[in-house]
Amino acid sequence: MAINLNTPRDSFSSRLGVIAAAAGSAIGLGNIWRFPYVAGENGGGAFLLIYIGFIVLIGVPVMLSEFVIGRNTQRNAVGAFRKLAPKSLWPLTGFLGISAAFFILAFYTTVSGWTLEYLYLAISDGFKAQSAESLTQNFELFRTSGLRPLMWQNIFMFLTAFIVYKGIKNGIEKYTKILMPLLLVIIIILGIRSVTLPGAAEGLTFLFKPDFTKITGKVILEALGQSFFSLSIGMGTLITYGSYIGKGENLGKTALSVSAADTLIAILAGVAIFPAVFAFGIAPEAGAGLVFITLPMIFDQMAGGYFFALIFFLLLSIAALTSTISVLEVVTAYLSEELNLGRKKATVIAASSIAVLGVACTMSQGPWAILSVGGYNLFDLLEMVSANIMLPLGGLLIVLFVGWYLTKDAVFAEISNQGKFKAGFKFAYLFIIRFLAPIAIAFVFLNGLGFFSIFGSGN
Ligand code: PHE
């Protein structure tokens, strides 16, 4: 194991910085692009309810467990397991995370590229007076066109690498602190416009009124996958960020605030999107294009729509960027600490090798549609496998590791900052990571993948 002992390890400089960076990782396209479309495909209200249940009961404890591992070891996702469990198979959990980082970043930069195109369209007033049909058609044309989405994707990957290259304090922290609150404000404004559209009520009913007949094994697995994806957990992102958190921070509170902020933004995105979906007669299960079709319709109906469209897509791109840097950081930290590559070299190698998979992913949307398995193109496949399989599996291993491999005393010491405060939730936390979370994840997994069926297959 190669650890550079000469230079002090980079870290976050303030409490606000820690929360902003972790929230910046969590809040992203997962909330605004993925949450509404996955909720739309999986029945709306019932999905939301299960999703929130998973955030509270599994998501927050998994996030705290990642922080525990990271801050305790001050290492990257692989090195952390190597330090705590040398000569064991546990470091494989870290490698699972590194692979997930490749998969996620490949399709995530595709969608991030779409947001840049839409930012460009917003600037050039490209949504004016278009019908839902023509917006859908234009989105499809663009998505499948190959070269243009590829150009945006690579610009985005370059921006991501640029910030990661700069390091923690002067890169990641600086850029996230100011921009997240701004995003919140703009989503609230959009939500207000959306719920005041004629016919909006139907959308709110769809989002908030659970229809329990819609629940299937697949819906539950999708909700679990979405909760992990949205919180950035299960792949060591928050082990890595946790390793930059100072010893004086309260990890439990941090996990709770980050998860609350993330969930709030997802729900607000739903409130902005579903009323408009119904008001404009778009199908809620329209899929990955949902926000790119719905939101331009709202902007067109708003006073000052040009201006709002512009800042919205700008902020969405930035929200995506604060997430992509956290994913790239997982691979960069691994390469630089474990292979002793030097941070800058590690960033370049990580970004360029992921970009290769990214190209295949973007091209699989159109020109290389041949890159598909069982009706899923490469993009869909990477998205599904990473969110619904790799992240929950990683989360399962992480809670088992903290719950059963680490000693109870070590875990309690870490979450209470060596006994500096009480951490009254510690027994509940221990119960969850030892029993509830592992059993629930394993159950949802096997049921959702069709090993047995409690709620029907959902197909
Ligand atoms: N949580 C991010 C989002 O919602 C995506 C992400 C997943 C980031 C996994 C890091 C790790 O957009």
Side-chain angles (χ1 to χ4, degrees), residues 345-366:
K345 213 187 214 170
T347 310
V348 174
I349 295 178
S352 42
S353 49
I354 296 171
V356 173
L357 187 61
V359 168
C361 192
T362 295
M363 295 302 273
S364 81
Q365 295 268 329

Side-chain angles (χ1 to χ4, degrees), residues 136 139 142 192 200 249 277 296 299 347 410:
T136 310
F139 173 75
F142 161 70
I192 294 173
E249 302 298 329
V277 162
F299 294 128
T347 310

Side-chain angles (χ1 to χ4, degrees), residues 86-116:
K87 301 204 183 67
S88 75
L89 290 177
W90 283 107
L92 288 178
T93 310
F95 284 112
L96 178 69
I98 307 270
S99 330
F102 268 76
F103 286 18
I104 289 176
L105 213 47
F107 77 80
Y108 203 97
T109 50
T110 303
V111 184
S112 306
W114 299 349
T115 65
L116 290 182

Side-chain angles (χ1 to χ4, degrees), residues 4 19 30 36 65 80 114 142 171 185 199 253 259 278 285-286 344 382 413:
N4 192 341
I19 295 189
S65 304
W114 299 349
F142 161 70
V185 173
K253 259 197 200 151
S259 305
F278 284 86
E285 55 279 306
K344 307 216 150 145
L382 294 181

Side-chain angles (χ1 to χ4, degrees), residues 380-391:
D380 299 334
L381 205 65
L382 294 181
E383 187 190 342
M384 191 187 65
V385 169
S386 57
N388 294 350
I389 298 179
M390 295 170 97
L391 298 186

Side-chain angles (χ1 to χ4, degrees), residues 174-250:
K174 195 165 118 195
Y175 291 84
T176 41
K177 232 172 10 201
I178 342 155
L179 298 156
M180 288 297 114
L182 215 57
L183 183 70
L184 180 68
V185 173
I186 199 129
I187 292 185
I188 292 176
I189 296 174
L190 281 182
I192 294 173
R193 175 66 264 221
S194 187
V195 296
T196 49
L197 288 167
E202 215 182 323
L204 292 177
T205 309
F206 179 79
L207 180 62
F208 290 115
K209 191 158 173 244
D211 171 358
F212 293 105
T213 61
K214 298 254 174 74
I215 299 179
T216 63
K218 174 181 166 283
V219 169
I220 299 177
L221 180 62
E222 291 277 358
L224 183 73
Q226 175 59 22
S227 67
F228 273 62
F229 185 79
S230 192
L231 293 177
S232 303
I233 54 177
M235 55 164 279
T237 309
L238 298 179
I239 294 180
T240 310
Y241 271 20
S243 76
Y244 308 125
I245 297 182
K247 294 287 178 198
E249 302 298 329
N250 184 332

Side-chain angles (χ1 to χ4, degrees), residues 24-32 34 104 108 226 228-233 235 237 262 319-320 322-324 326-327 330 391:
S25 169
I27 298 166
L29 296 173
N31 308 59
I32 295 161
R34 197 171 193 274
I104 289 176
Y108 203 97
Q226 175 59 22
F228 273 62
F229 185 79
S230 192
L231 293 177
S232 303
I233 54 177
M235 55 164 279
T237 309
D262 187 66
T322 57
S323 299
T324 51
S326 74
V327 186
V330 174
L391 298 186

